[in-house]
Amino acid sequence: MAAPVGGASGIDRAPFEQFLIHEARLLDERRFRDWMELFTEDGTYWVPAVPDQNSPFDQASLFYDDRDLMRTRVERLEHPRIHVQTPPSRTAHLIGNTLIEQADEAKGEYVVGSTVIMVEYRDDQQRMFAGRQHHRLRREGAGFRIVQKRVDLINCDSAFEAMAVPI
Amino acid sequence: MLAEKVGAARAAEILTPRLHNSLIYPNMSIMGLNIHVRVIKPIAVDRTEVTIYPIRLVGAPDAMNFGNVRLLNVTHSASSFVQTDDLESFVRAQKGLRSLGTDWVDISRGLGDEEPDRELNATRALATHEMVVRAQYKAWAGYMREAA
């Protein structure tokens, strides 16, 4: 018998993968407002600044946005004179190794883990971000909404040049 | 609570914001508005590493300490709304400094356009003018002359 690979069994992974691909595409197409709309009203976007960070409340994070901050971030990204996006970043996200790590079918809530790689090109420089991400998703109608997106970058505790666009 | 402890007059005095920035030449600045520590470490002529730490106030409510962390994320994290544009400006300044066109860093923007602010007994200029930079170097030179 094969060793257990982890994750919830008996749930079709395809709709979850499709959702993650859709989310990544919105970011790559700079449709930041549509990306924000994927989040629930109490949704959060979190990129910790240290490995295994327990909480966004008692230490700094690379990103920790609730919807209010997300809205400000999106308005800034849409502003024609935002210095750090003149010229704008071009990004390519790749999502893989998707696993449904927790599932509560009765409540329609899921935790989906995946590996993300984002290559960013801007102003003649290309750099790469990579890590494991976790989406806490809530089923809504035929699709999902994001309750929390957490991205744990493998170099999260490194020094960074400006990070203008979400991972 | 504060009034019970120190009296109404002193409590009012404590709660009235009197924010100002202090400069300790050549390289330390204490800014009344900020509740974090920023360490600026020169690595090379065109490379500087900035590390920033929020201050946790002992005995303060969790919400207040989270407020400090949240403000830091917004103003000074790598993805912040403020620092990112600052960093872009520094990158552009460094590009300019690579030029061999002049031996001097020009800080003359707005020179002669300053206005007296009688109410504050100070001098006023547009925020994008370099009056503040000129004033700081002038003060530094003055303090060094006094000390000599």
Side-chain angles (χ1 to χ4, degrees):
Chain A
M1 214 171 104
V5 293
S9 56
I11 299 175
D12 183 12
R13 241 173 29 187
F16 295 93
E17 282 173 333
Q18 206 164 5
F19 179 80
L20 295 185
I21 292 167
H22 171 65
E23 189 223 337
R25 209 172 88 176
L26 291 181
L27 288 171
D28 287 343
E29 292 176 356
R30 296 182 69 82
R31 291 163 61 190
F32 299 115
R33 194 165 288 270
D34 294 336
W35 173 73
M36 175 176 72
E37 297 299 334
L38 295 179
F39 287 79
T40 56
E41 276 312 307
D42 59 348
T44 52
Y45 170 66
W46 185 21
V47 185
V50 291
D52 302 318
Q53 188 172 329
N54 277 325
S55 159
F57 303 118
D58 58 5
Q59 57 181 305
S61 297
L62 294 172
F63 291 81
Y64 183 69
D65 288 0
D66 53 24
R67 280 293 297 261
D68 279 343
L69 290 184
M70 244 182 259
R71 201 165 293 115
T72 307
R73 187 178 299 284
V74 168
E75 280 166 10
R76 228 182 132 245
L77 284 167
E78 289 173 348
H79 196 282
R81 287 175 66 188
I82 173 173
H83 301 319
V84 72
Q85 286 287 274
T86 312
S89 298
R90 294 179 210 148
T91 62
H93 281 75
L94 187 67
I95 313 293
N97 300 355
T98 308
L99 204 60
I100 300 163
E101 297 192 358
Q102 290 170 40
D104 184 336
E105 291 272 51
K107 281 171 78 178
E109 292 205 354
Y110 308 87
V111 176
V112 183
S114 58
T115 300
V116 58
I117 294 175
M118 181 182 97
V119 180
E120 181 190 27
Y121 174 78
R122 178 179 177 261
D123 204 12
D124 214 24
Q125 282 196 36
Q126 189 158 292
R127 60 177 175 168
M128 177 141 72
F129 297 96
R132 188 83 186 152
Q133 60 178 3
H134 286 92
H135 286 73
R136 186 172 288 277
L137 300 179
R138 191 176 294 155
R139 193 181 286 288
E140 204 181 273
F144 300 104
R145 290 187 81 191
I146 304 171
V147 181
Q148 183 173 68
K149 175 181 177 179
R150 170 180 176 150
V151 186
D152 286 276
L153 295 174
I154 54 174
N155 62 338
C156 62
D157 50 355
S158 173
F160 288 97
E161 294 187 9
M163 300 165 91
V165 294
I167 308 288
Chain B
M1 244 167 84
L2 191 63
E4 279 170 29
K5 224 168 168 178
V6 296
R10 177 69 185 131
E13 200 181 39
I14 291 171
L15 294 174
T16 304
R18 283 181 309 271
L19 296 173
H20 64 274
N21 298 338
S22 307
L23 281 171
I24 298 164
Y25 288 98
N27 60 0
M28 185 169 167
S29 164
I30 298 170
M31 307 177 86
L33 195 63
N34 292 333
I35 316 171
H36 54 245
V37 174
R38 197 157 33 141
V39 180
I40 298 172
K41 195 163 48 167
I43 308 270
V45 68
D46 60 350
R47 202 141 196 91
T48 304
E49 193 177 296
V50 181
T51 317
I52 187 150
Y53 307 91
I55 288 174
R56 190 178 303 158
L57 299 168
V58 176
D62 288 347
M64 194 171 166
N65 280 326
F66 174 52
N68 294 350
V69 170
R70 181 182 157 100
L71 180 69
L72 184 151
N73 289 342
V74 168
T75 57
H76 286 93
S77 87
S79 76
S80 67
F81 303 154
V82 179
Q83 180 95 86
T84 45
D85 277 342
D86 286 353
L87 290 177
E88 177 67 16
S89 303
F90 301 156
V91 166
R92 293 182 194 184
Q94 280 176 343
K95 276 185 190 168
L97 287 170
R98 266 185 239 131
S99 156
L100 300 175
T102 169
D103 291 338
W104 299 91
V105 175
D106 185 344
I107 51 167
S108 68
R109 194 192 297 143
L111 188 66
D113 291 341
E114 300 92 341
E115 284 174 13
D117 186 331
R118 287 183 215 295
E119 207 178 313
L120 287 173
N121 189 27
T123 309
R124 196 169 50 190
L126 287 177
T128 52
H129 284 182
E130 286 163 325
M131 179 196 76
V132 176
V133 187
R134 291 191 291 275
Q136 286 184 14
Y137 278 107
K138 203 169 160 187
W140 190 8
Y143 294 137
M144 285 193 292
R145 255 195 307 275
E146 276 171 32

